[in-house]
Amino acid sequence: MGLNVLFYILSALTGLAIGSFLNVVIYRLPKGQFFSKARSFCPNCGAQIKAYDNIPVLSYIILRGKCRNCKAHISLRYPVIELLNCILWIVNFAVFGISWMTLIYDILVSVLIVIAMIDFDTFEIPDSSNITILLLGLITFFPISGVSWQSKLIGCVCISIPMLIIALFGGMGLGDVKLYFVLGLLFGWQKILLIFLISVIVGGIFSVIYMIIQKKKAQDDEENSDSENSLSDEIVEDEKSSEEKINSINIDDSENQTSENNFVNDQEAKDIKSESCQEEERDTIANESQSEKENSDEDEDEDDIPKGKAIPFGPFIVLASIITIYFGDLIINAYTKLLGF
Ligand SMILES: [Zn+2]
């Protein structure tokens, strides 16, 4: 009992510390600065982060999510990743106890978190992450995982080869194919089939929801721009009519220069002139909002992601793998019972 508590605490603290390290890996690996010895710094002001401000989760809460030096907002994703890694490491110990598989799965979930985040950020899965899982797959050829070597060998090709063919036609990234390969080697054919099914189903559902949201957004944008355009048209028309009024009053002025109504007309002209000034103001505001809109359009163009790559697929493979680690046996047993084996 005492030993268990000790191991839970050890899992939690190491999980947090490794989670903090994962944040560095996720930030540096795509930039090729993984082996840089530079200490962590604020991406906004460049100030070095002091050791006492680098305590996982706790520092984020103490600093209220802001850089101590420049008060720039720190992304919530840093503490979330630290906490996620910590929770998964605790769950690993709870499920697999004091065993080699706890260690294997600790490394695996941490690498999977890195893969999901880097794929999300850059649409690439780094080879070094896949190679780490490959090593785990090779180590577990020693009979510690309960997966036979035959199952492992079938597992590494049964999904990855069909996916490779799809990838050659541009339907999937090569990083995803390599990930299926190394996961198949680690998990064996039954579980890689399950991972494949879960990732495709969850990814498919998510893509449909995402597409509906995007479509609705595009429609809303269109409607907004329509109403904006009609508003500025109205303003232009208003201005024209007020200009006409001023002109007509000026004519009136010249006609009635000697008349006693002069004063009244002057007053009227002043009123209308001030009105037109207000309209000019409104017009400049409309122009500004128009140019702002054009700017934001330009920004959107810059961020434009090539079609078919709108959603990275890696995070869904990662999610499916994590589900399979903890519920794979349960789902596969239930399924085979259902089929009457
Ligand atoms: Zn800063």
Side-chain angles (χ1 to χ4, degrees), residues 7 32 52 58 62 69 110-111 131 145 156 186 189 214 246 304:
F7 267 100
Y52 55 81
L58 208 64
I62 292 170
N69 187 45
S110 296
V111 176
I131 289 168
S145 65
C156 67
L186 176 59
W189 70 266
Q214 289 302 99
I246 292 171
D304 220 355

Side-chain angles (χ1 to χ4, degrees), residues 50-121:
K50 303 271 195 311
Y52 55 81
D53 282 340
N54 217 352
I55 305 159
V57 183
L58 208 64
S59 290
Y60 187 88
I61 295 167
I62 292 170
L63 294 170
R64 292 207 195 94
K66 285 177 189 137
C67 167
R68 188 186 287 276
N69 187 45
C70 71
K71 305 291 171 209
H73 174 74
I74 303 167
S75 170
L76 188 63
R77 102 183 202 182
Y78 296 109
V80 165
I81 284 170
E82 287 158 357
L83 215 55
L84 179 67
N85 195 64
C86 168
I87 290 167
L88 290 176
W89 279 41
I90 293 171
V91 172
N92 281 343
F93 180 68
V95 175
F96 303 103
I98 303 172
S99 73
W100 284 111
M101 286 320 286
T102 302
L103 194 63
I104 298 278
Y105 285 142
D106 280 352
I107 299 169
L108 179 66
V109 293
S110 296
V111 176
L112 288 175
I113 291 172
V114 170
I115 289 176
M117 293 316 295
I118 292 183
D119 196 20
F120 180 78
D121 286 344

Side-chain angles (χ1 to χ4, degrees), residues 277-295:
C277 278
Q278 278 172 5
E279 263 155 22
E280 262 166 39
E281 263 178 13
R282 268 167 64 195
D283 202 33
T284 48
I285 289 166
N287 280 340
E288 272 166 19
S289 75
Q290 189 73 20
S291 65
E292 261 172 39
K293 217 190 91 210
E294 276 164 15
N295 281 342

